[in-house]
Structures are given as structure tokens and as C-alpha cells.
Amino acid sequence: MTGLSISTAAGVFDALTAGPPDGRPVLLLHGFPQTGLAWRRQIEALAAEGHRVVAPDQRGYSPGVRPERAEDYRISLLVADVVAITEELGWSTFDLVGHDWGGAVAWWTASAHPGRVRTLTVVSTPHPGALAEALRTDDDQRARSRYMIDWRETPATEQRMLADDAALLRSLFAGKVPQAGADAYIRRLSRPGALTAALNWYRSGRPDGTIDVIEVPTLYVWSTGDTAFGPVPAKDTGRWVDGPYRFEILPDLSHWIPEEAPETLNRLLLEHLRAHGPRNHHAPPAVEHNGSD
């Protein structure tokens, strides 16, 4: 696994990559409050199967793409980042995987660009249409999502999260993320402007567009111990997928599936990729560097 710099019109994204340059391309999108490092176990497993894997630090998390205005984190711009990154990598089609906020971006990207997304895998995050409906009708989901409103307060939210060696920020992981990973995320988000940029995803306003049903083969993985997303939008997500759909419920796991249960997720992800399309994809290699936190 090595570091990668990806230059786009929006700026330079930091990323982790592994696997043969001509392997079938897979893009992994992290959520809050993490970085591409959240996918380290998936990167290893996918690369071992011959895939070319890239896990970028998304807008705001990469220092080279950190606009100050909250409106510069609108969903349309986050989707545009995915397109720009994959174009720079020379990927005409790719498999897309997302967790948490990265899952939301993945849903929107698959809706807007079905011809480019070979398969979609989303972990934890329900389809935005299912979530929006649950927020209108389900008291349980409204209670779970209250934090999204609370975190729009600035700079009070940043001050609370970073106080006492980022105790509140660390508590979000509920002891389910390996200590080394949690420490790396905290170091990154403790840098000037980094946490505000990450929170701007919550402060950017309503989506600037509409999302449709998903036509590409889709795997959705949800856990019963997820505190952010409840059973109503999770079980309703299937109504928003017209393509081949697989819904996997993992009992008693937390929101942090990629790191809490990597072997289980890796198995499901690889099964999904094998079921839909060839393994190899010839693409030009990108320039790598030895990255560091």
C-alpha cells in the first residue's frame, strides 16, 4: 500500500493505493471522521485479488482540496470529485464502495453516472431517498439523525470535539476502531482548519439536485448496532434499486463495519465483485509516492 497524489481542477487529493496497475479499478470513499486509511483492510484484500484499489482522502480531508466555505461541500461537488479523480486515474468504468458520508456520495454518483459505475457497494448508509422518507415519517430515525443538526453549530462543535485530547471525537468510534487508526484520524482532524472542513459536509445545506433509483448492481451492508441509521431506511433502501440488489444485515455490529468486521465485509465485497464483471481492467498506471500521515 503506497501513497498517491491525484491532481484535479479542484486541487490535489491524497490517496492510498495498492494492486496491479492494470487490475480492475475499485474506488473506496471514507466517511466522518476518518480518512482513506479506514479502508486499509479492504485495500489489502482487494489488491490480493488483483484489483487496482484507490482510497482518497475526500474534499476537506485532503489539505490540497480544502475550501473554506460550507457551500463548497455540496453533494454535486463531492460527486464531481469522484468523476475528476477517476478521470485522472484513467478509469472509464470502476467499482465504487462507500461508507458513512462516503456511502452517500457513492449513492449519488451511481445515480448520476450509471454508465461509469460498474458495481456499487455501500456500507451503513441507506439510499438518500429512503433516508429522507424516514426522516419525515420515522421518529426513531429522526432521533438518530439529530446530531446532524447539532453539528452545524460553529465553532462550538469544533471546540467541543477537540477538547480534552479530542475526547468527544474519539468517543464517536465507541471503541470499535483500532487505536492506531483512531489516533491517525485525530491527528489529521486536529490540524488547523481540518475539522471545520470535515464538518462542512454537514453544513453545506440540502442536496442541490434529486437522486433517482440505482440501476447498477448494488450491495448494501447494514448492521443492527448502527446508532446513526436505523432499520426503517435500511430495509426501505431496496425500493430505490432497480438493478441486481443484495442486502446484508450484520447482527450486533456497530456503525464502523470496515474496521470492526473487516473479514466479513471483505468476503461480501469480493463476492459482489466476482458476481458482476471480469476481474481485470487495463488502465494506465498512476504516479505513486511514499505517503505519510
Side-chain angles (χ1 to χ4, degrees):
M1 191 165 62
T2 60
L4 181 68
S5 294
I6 306 171
S7 298
T8 72
V12 179
F13 289 88
D14 299 331
L16 295 172
T17 188
D22 64 346
R24 174 174 163 180
V26 183
L27 190 74
L28 307 174
L29 303 178
H30 69 85
F32 177 90
Q34 299 177 288
T35 67
L37 185 64
W39 297 110
R40 56 196 173 279
R41 295 292 297 277
Q42 287 70 47
I43 294 172
E44 294 168 355
L46 288 164
E49 286 285 316
H51 296 280
R52 179 62 169 180
V53 193
V54 173
D57 296 345
Q58 295 199 76
R59 177 177 292 241
Y61 295 84
S62 284
V65 194
R66 187 170 289 165
E68 295 183 359
R69 303 184 308 166
E71 55 263 38
D72 289 328
Y73 295 82
R74 303 186 308 276
I75 194 68
S76 62
L77 296 175
L78 304 175
V79 171
D81 289 341
V82 172
V83 173
I85 287 169
T86 53
E87 287 182 343
E88 181 65 23
L89 293 170
W91 295 357
S92 58
T93 59
F94 55 95
D95 298 285
L96 183 58
V97 184
H99 172 248
D100 188 77
W101 255 114
V105 176
W107 285 116
W108 282 91
T109 302
S111 174
H113 302 279
R116 301 199 62 180
V117 177
R118 187 197 303 268
T119 69
L120 174 66
T121 300
V122 178
V123 185
S124 303
T125 314
H127 185 285
L131 180 58
E133 186 171 341
L135 289 172
R136 290 191 299 268
T137 63
D138 181 42
D139 289 341
D140 173 68
Q141 187 57 54
R142 279 196 292 268
R144 291 170 186 261
S145 297
R146 176 67 195 181
Y147 72 93
M148 296 185 187
I149 299 173
D150 295 341
W151 289 356
R152 294 173 188 169
E153 183 181 359
T154 182
T157 302
E158 288 88 326
Q159 294 169 353
R160 288 197 303 270
M161 285 187 172
L162 293 177
D164 301 322
D165 190 30
L168 178 57
L169 199 55
R170 292 178 186 277
S171 73
L172 299 179
F173 298 124
K176 304 299 184 180
V177 171
Q179 187 65 44
D183 288 344
Y185 307 142
I186 298 303
R187 284 196 302 272
R188 176 67 64 89
L189 292 173
S190 295
R191 295 171 182 170
L195 182 56
T196 294
L199 288 168
N200 277 343
W201 288 50
Y202 296 93
R203 297 165 176 165
S204 62
R206 293 183 179 276
D208 50 337
T210 57
I211 191 169
D212 204 346
V213 297
I214 304 302
E215 301 174 359
V216 304
T218 299
L219 167 65
Y220 175 42
V221 183
W222 174 75
S223 48
T224 61
D226 195 310
T227 57
F229 302 113
V232 170
K235 294 176 180 178
D236 193 45
T237 285
R239 295 198 306 108
W240 291 85
V241 181
D242 274 351
Y245 181 60
R246 180 177 179 181
F247 177 35
E248 288 287 339
I249 300 176
L250 304 183
D252 304 323
L253 293 179
S254 74
H255 178 74
W256 311 104
I257 294 171
E259 291 171 285
E260 184 181 3
E263 294 86 1
T264 299
L265 180 59
N266 293 349
R267 175 180 58 81
L268 294 172
L269 176 55
L270 287 168
E271 287 175 357
H272 183 53
L273 296 180
R274 291 174 189 141
H276 301 284
R279 183 178 68 181
N280 291 327
H281 168 93
H282 295 284
V287 177
E288 298 179 0
H289 68 83
N290 293 319
S292 61
D293 180 66

